[in-house]
Amino acid sequence: MKTNKKFLISAAGIPALITLFASFLASSHPDALESIAIKYGFDEKAAETKSFFTDYSLSFIGNEFLSALLAGIIGIILLYVLYETANFILKRKNLVK
């Protein structure tokens, strides 16, 4: 039982720590697609979309660092849920042991 607990703590803790340190390295410069839009002048014509993860952050949180950090952690959780769901489906169909 201790092995499972250690594994779960490390499986959750290591990605969370990576997210924490990666959010310090996040660039405030636009990405490639946005840079091209600015360069060719059609960035003003683009319609702003409402998204839960606008600009890799949570728009409803005022603190920029905390917003990016929580968005990263939520992203990790969502990817893990997606992985487990796919693994469950594949195991049921006997495609994975």
Side-chain angles (χ1 to χ4, degrees):
M1 189 65 157
K2 286 185 180 182
T3 305
N4 285 340
K5 188 175 182 180
K6 285 181 182 179
F7 174 76
L8 289 175
I9 290 171
S10 64
I14 292 172
L17 285 173
I18 291 171
T19 302
L20 173 66
F21 291 115
S23 49
F24 284 117
L25 302 173
S27 175
S28 60
H29 301 293
D31 59 19
L33 183 60
E34 192 174 352
S35 295
I36 292 170
I38 292 169
K39 181 179 179 179
Y40 291 103
F42 61 88
D43 60 317
E44 299 297 326
K45 296 178 184 177
E48 188 68 33
T49 60
K50 298 297 178 195
S51 171
F52 189 68
F53 289 115
T54 303
D55 288 332
Y56 310 106
S57 62
L58 302 173
S59 57
F60 55 86
I61 296 178
N63 184 320
E64 187 177 334
F65 172 75
L66 184 61
S67 174
L69 177 65
L70 290 175
I73 291 172
I74 291 170
I76 289 171
I77 292 168
L78 290 174
L79 284 174
Y80 179 74
V81 169
L82 179 65
Y83 164 78
E84 286 295 331
T85 303
N87 194 26
F88 175 77
I89 291 169
L90 292 173
K91 280 184 178 180
R92 285 191 76 191
K93 294 185 176 191
N94 292 323
L95 296 175
V96 176
K97 292 183 180 182

